[in-house]
Amino acid sequence: MSGFVLPPAPTPSVPVAGEETRFPVRRIFCVGRNYADHAREMGHDPDREPPFFFTKPADALLTGDADLPYPAATADLHFEGELVVALGAGGSDLSPDQAAGLIWGHAAGNDLTRRDLQAQAKAAGRPWDMAKGFDRSAVCGPIRRATGPMQRGRLTLSVNGEIRQDSDLSAMIWPVADIIAHLSRLVTLAPGDLIYTGTPAGVGALRRGDVATVAIEGLDPVTTRVV
Ligand code: MN
């Protein structure tokens, strides 16, 4: 007789916009410094160096406008409003044209960050995992089906109704298809992968009681209340 010694963990998933179905998630990748104004505000030169990536565990997803208990081990929780790309096919060593064909849909997301732990990790030359990949750190709104990459559209993040980030997807240093192509040279991509595509300037702290909403033109917004 064979089988698992424990019940397998549930498959993380994200609602599909306007449907009763859900999108099953395999891996979550994130791009760092993909908007020049945010690179500058973090103290970096926004030259077009190749994109760099980090990851979050798939079970770090927070979906459906769920509340966020203020995370452990931080006094400086930051929001980062981002476009999320969902892949419906996989591959490796792809050209941007081939990479564009992997796209299943897009969502508005929030790459929640324990900024104090990230600053400590940067100073010590240590990994970002505990700054970026903590429980409920991957806020993701409903995924809207698409036939190609989103190239433009206003992206805003508001806290308690006040706009704090306001940019356009066209301001990305590396557009969506290029991001997927670069990533496909580092790992083999597969259906169910999500990619957070970076955040524009204006990142800042969230406190208990704050309500953060990420809105991207053409997509459903996602709202998170910190409790
Ligand atoms: Mn980010």
Side-chain angles (χ1 to χ4, degrees):
M1 168 172 185
S2 65
F4 295 116
V5 298
L6 296 171
T11 301
S13 64
V14 179
V16 173
E19 302 179 19
E20 295 302 308
T21 50
R22 296 182 71 87
F23 182 91
V25 174
R26 188 187 78 121
R27 292 179 175 172
I28 302 176
F29 300 96
C30 308
V31 185
R33 290 172 215 147
N34 199 28
Y35 290 78
D37 53 359
H38 175 61
R40 279 189 211 100
E41 79 177 345
M42 298 303 286
H44 297 278
D45 181 352
D47 275 353
R48 205 168 189 251
E49 58 187 19
F52 72 92
F53 298 91
F54 57 93
T55 62
K56 294 175 186 262
D59 67 359
L61 279 167
L62 186 67
T63 66
D65 293 338
D67 287 350
L68 173 75
Y70 194 90
T74 186
D76 197 20
L77 173 70
H78 271 214
F79 55 80
E80 296 190 356
E82 308 199 0
L83 174 73
V84 182
V85 179
L87 302 188
S92 57
D93 287 315
L94 305 172
S95 68
D97 276 354
Q98 292 170 319
L102 269 51
I103 296 169
W104 191 89
H106 303 91
N110 194 341
D111 166 20
L112 294 173
T113 302
R114 296 194 283 210
R115 194 70 74 198
D116 41 3
L117 297 195
Q118 188 192 32
Q120 291 167 19
K122 284 180 177 176
R126 289 184 179 149
W128 288 9
D129 301 51
M130 292 301 113
K132 287 290 196 177
F134 54 96
D135 298 343
R136 306 180 189 88
S137 60
V139 174
C140 192
I143 299 173
R144 184 163 293 283
R145 291 173 186 261
T147 53
M150 283 184 75
Q151 318 265 28
R152 59 190 62 80
R154 188 182 183 195
L155 183 161
T156 60
L157 184 144
S158 57
V159 179
N160 306 325
E162 179 188 335
I163 291 181
R164 304 284 296 276
Q165 293 182 283
D166 190 353
S167 188
D168 194 279
L169 302 182
S170 60
M172 286 185 188
I173 295 172
W174 294 96
V176 167
D178 293 51
I179 290 170
I180 301 169
H182 273 278
L183 186 56
S184 79
R185 290 174 212 139
L186 296 167
V187 292
T188 300
L189 298 170
D193 288 346
L194 299 182
I195 306 172
Y196 284 64
T197 57
T199 199
V203 299
L206 290 172
R207 293 171 187 82
R208 283 181 185 79
D210 283 347
V211 177
T213 297
V214 183
I216 296 176
E217 205 177 336
L219 301 176
D220 293 11
V222 63
T223 293
T224 308
R225 180 186 300 272
V226 185
V227 298

